[in-house]
Amino acid sequence: MSRKDPVRQELRLPGDPPGGARAVWVWGLGVAVYFVAITYRTSLGVAGIEAAERFEINASALSTFSILQLLVYAGMQIPVGLLVDRWGTKKTLAVGVVLFTVGQFGFALADSYAVALASRALLGCGDAMTFISVLRLGSRWFPARRGPLVAQIAALFGMAGNLVTTLVLARTLSAVGWTPTFAGSAVAGVVMLALVLLFLKDHPPGCAPPPVTYSGGYVRRQISSAWREPGTRLGMWVHFTTQFPGMVFLLLWGLPFLVEAQGRTMAEAGTLLTLIVLSNMGIGLVFGQAIARRQEARTPIVLGVIGSTALLWAAVLAWPGQAPTWLLVTLCLVLGACGPASLVGFDYSRPANPAERQGTASGIVNMGGFIASMTTLLAVGVLLDLTGDNFRIAFASVFLLQALGLSQILRLRRSARLRERERLVASRVSAVHVPA
């Protein structure tokens, strides 16, 4: 008799989407929206010098753009999850496209720091509506076993948007100037809005989620029901613990560390940061395939990335003097695994929640990494000021958040596994006893 783990069994349950070419087309449209949102989100990264000159601001005021975007993004996750569950993907994505397109146009035309800041906040609000919507779109159009790979491919296209910003937008900015570059890029948002309104569908025919009654207390019930699931909380702590080292390094503090503490040129530092992006794209496909084939791969992947990140981070900080190139390259390759590993958090929350609660649960999970990133961005900056730009001490704050997150992952993983097993067995029973 076979003793295979029931969590590993593949079974087409009632309502499980069929996938296919139409699913790829509809989901691909959602991913295209996410791609455009990422190019807008990262566009400031190649325009920092021009922004400082245009708005006559110092470095602290310039960094406020990035911190504000993260703050808005993190704060919008649960509200967006609730909207996705209530409105569906099409309406939520359409609103998101309108917001980030208006924000990009506003940024193109802004002639004051206050207007530019408001435009970036609006952009961040629209951006926050994209990834959770794309995750839900994938879960409604593809079979559940494809979920991990679909999520990783969506994130890969997001990172491709980052590369487009670096390679295309930067050159356009130097060639034609501020307003034509940002206003021209905003046209892509108008095109995406038209495509979403014309062609996007929330789910394939016959696969609509069960109707939900939106009575009083709906928001509280959605959030509390999702939070009670150990898989949701485990997913949040996985996202919290794995995402932030790579994001903090790539978003703000990596370049100063490599140039000021490690003595690298701007070109060398830029190459190392690009290596993180390329590593992220390649490793994401590997992780997605591994988890789609074997659910048990989730925990080893998460713990492996946490351990290797801590080890390489400690090795670079403890190295006497400046770290050798091979060690910095290895660190950047490992930091590239942080983003794909954080997406494993959604692979814990997805089977723990029914279809009508997927958006809310994904919002809770997605908050984890951005809260950790904001905390670390602030902690590193404060410690650098207090220690006279001592990166060794400042970057040691990473270990504190990793230890906190790891303790919660180890505490929750068993209960989440047992609950997931119970839900799958119950689904199988209902599948076998479907009336003729």
Side-chain angles (χ1 to χ4, degrees), residues 201-394:
K201 302 294 183 183
D202 284 341
H203 48 74
C207 293
V212 178
T213 303
Y214 303 112
S215 58
Y218 166 76
V219 171
R220 178 184 56 80
R221 287 196 308 274
Q222 282 287 95
I223 296 175
S224 61
S225 297
W227 182 256
R228 279 198 299 268
E229 292 290 345
T232 303
R233 284 175 278 139
L234 176 59
M236 186 198 73
W237 284 109
V238 166
H239 201 271
F240 177 100
T241 314
T242 53
Q243 187 200 51
F244 80 93
M247 174 167 282
V248 167
F249 200 85
L250 193 60
L251 188 64
L252 186 59
W253 293 120
L255 189 68
F257 171 72
L258 293 171
V259 174
E260 297 176 14
Q262 297 298 318
R264 304 291 163 170
T265 65
M266 290 292 291
E268 290 172 335
T271 300
L272 288 169
L273 294 180
T274 303
L275 186 61
I276 297 177
V277 176
L278 296 176
S279 172
N280 184 301
M281 297 172 70
I283 292 174
L285 289 177
V286 175
F287 284 2
Q289 288 279 12
I291 296 171
R293 293 177 180 176
R294 188 179 179 86
Q295 289 284 295
E296 291 87 344
R298 292 175 298 182
T299 299
I301 284 174
V302 168
L303 297 181
V305 169
I306 294 171
S308 57
T309 301
L311 179 63
L312 268 299
W313 202 275
V316 170
L317 296 183
W319 195 276
Q322 296 174 348
T325 300
W326 66 265
L327 184 55
L328 293 176
V329 168
T330 306
L331 173 65
C332 290
L333 289 174
V334 171
L335 289 177
C338 290
S342 71
L343 296 181
V344 179
F346 298 103
D347 297 321
Y348 285 108
S349 72
R350 189 181 300 112
N353 292 275
E356 64 271 17
R357 210 166 61 218
Q358 286 292 324
T360 305
S362 295
I364 293 173
V365 171
N366 211 25
M367 282 182 63
F370 290 94
I371 290 174
S373 296
M374 284 189 298
T375 302
T376 309
L377 282 171
L378 180 60
V380 170
V382 170
L383 289 171
L384 285 174
D385 288 338
L386 292 176
T387 61
D389 293 338
N390 189 322
F391 278 94
R392 294 180 191 271
I393 296 176

Side-chain angles (χ1 to χ4, degrees), residues 6-309:
V7 175
R8 292 175 55 187
Q9 299 289 333
E10 290 187 2
L11 180 65
R12 178 66 57 81
L13 300 176
D16 201 20
R22 189 182 181 192
V24 173
W25 156 249
V26 175
W27 171 79
L29 182 56
V31 171
V33 173
Y34 179 56
F35 173 87
V36 173
I38 291 293
T39 62
Y40 292 178
R41 180 199 302 179
T42 57
S43 59
L44 186 62
V46 299
I49 297 175
E50 290 82 356
E53 294 176 351
R54 181 180 179 88
F55 305 120
E56 299 180 349
I57 55 178
N58 57 23
S60 298
L62 184 62
S63 67
T64 303
F65 282 122
S66 297
I67 294 175
L68 177 64
Q69 277 189 251
L70 281 182
L71 184 62
V72 171
Y73 191 100
M76 284 292 295
Q77 290 311 296
I78 290 180
V80 168
L82 291 165
L83 286 178
V84 171
D85 287 335
R86 185 159 185 169
W87 288 359
T89 303
K90 182 173 183 174
K91 290 181 180 178
T92 307
L93 265 185
V95 172
V97 173
V98 170
L99 290 175
F100 68 59
T101 302
V102 171
Q104 189 77 340
F105 268 124
F107 199 58
L109 302 175
D111 56 3
S112 69
Y113 178 63
V115 174
L117 205 60
S119 297
R120 296 305 287 186
L122 194 62
L123 191 156
C125 188
D127 178 23
M129 294 184 168
T130 57
F131 189 61
I132 292 177
S133 297
V134 171
L135 287 178
R136 188 179 190 273
L137 196 65
S139 69
R140 298 311 304 158
W141 279 90
F142 292 96
R145 68 181 184 275
R146 300 296 184 194
L149 183 59
V150 167
Q152 294 286 356
I153 292 176
L156 184 151
F157 277 96
M159 295 305 293
N162 199 332
L163 284 179
V164 167
T165 301
T166 303
L167 300 177
V168 177
L169 203 65
R171 296 181 181 180
T172 305
L173 184 63
S174 63
V176 301
W178 181 278
T179 299
T181 296
F182 285 99
S185 66
V187 174
V190 177
V191 174
M192 294 313 307
L193 178 61
L195 292 175
V196 166
L197 294 177
L198 289 173
F199 300 112
L200 193 73
K201 302 294 183 183
D202 284 341
H203 48 74
C207 293
V212 178
T213 303
Y214 303 112
S215 58
Y218 166 76
V219 171
R220 178 184 56 80
R221 287 196 308 274
Q222 282 287 95
I223 296 175
S224 61
S225 297
W227 182 256
R228 279 198 299 268
E229 292 290 345
T232 303
R233 284 175 278 139
L234 176 59
M236 186 198 73
W237 284 109
V238 166
H239 201 271
F240 177 100
T241 314
T242 53
Q243 187 200 51
F244 80 93
M247 174 167 282
V248 167
F249 200 85
L250 193 60
L251 188 64
L252 186 59
W253 293 120
L255 189 68
F257 171 72
L258 293 171
V259 174
E260 297 176 14
Q262 297 298 318
R264 304 291 163 170
T265 65
M266 290 292 291
E268 290 172 335
T271 300
L272 288 169
L273 294 180
T274 303
L275 186 61
I276 297 177
V277 176
L278 296 176
S279 172
N280 184 301
M281 297 172 70
I283 292 174
L285 289 177
V286 175
F287 284 2
Q289 288 279 12
I291 296 171
R293 293 177 180 176
R294 188 179 179 86
Q295 289 284 295
E296 291 87 344
R298 292 175 298 182
T299 299
I301 284 174
V302 168
L303 297 181
V305 169
I306 294 171
S308 57
T309 301

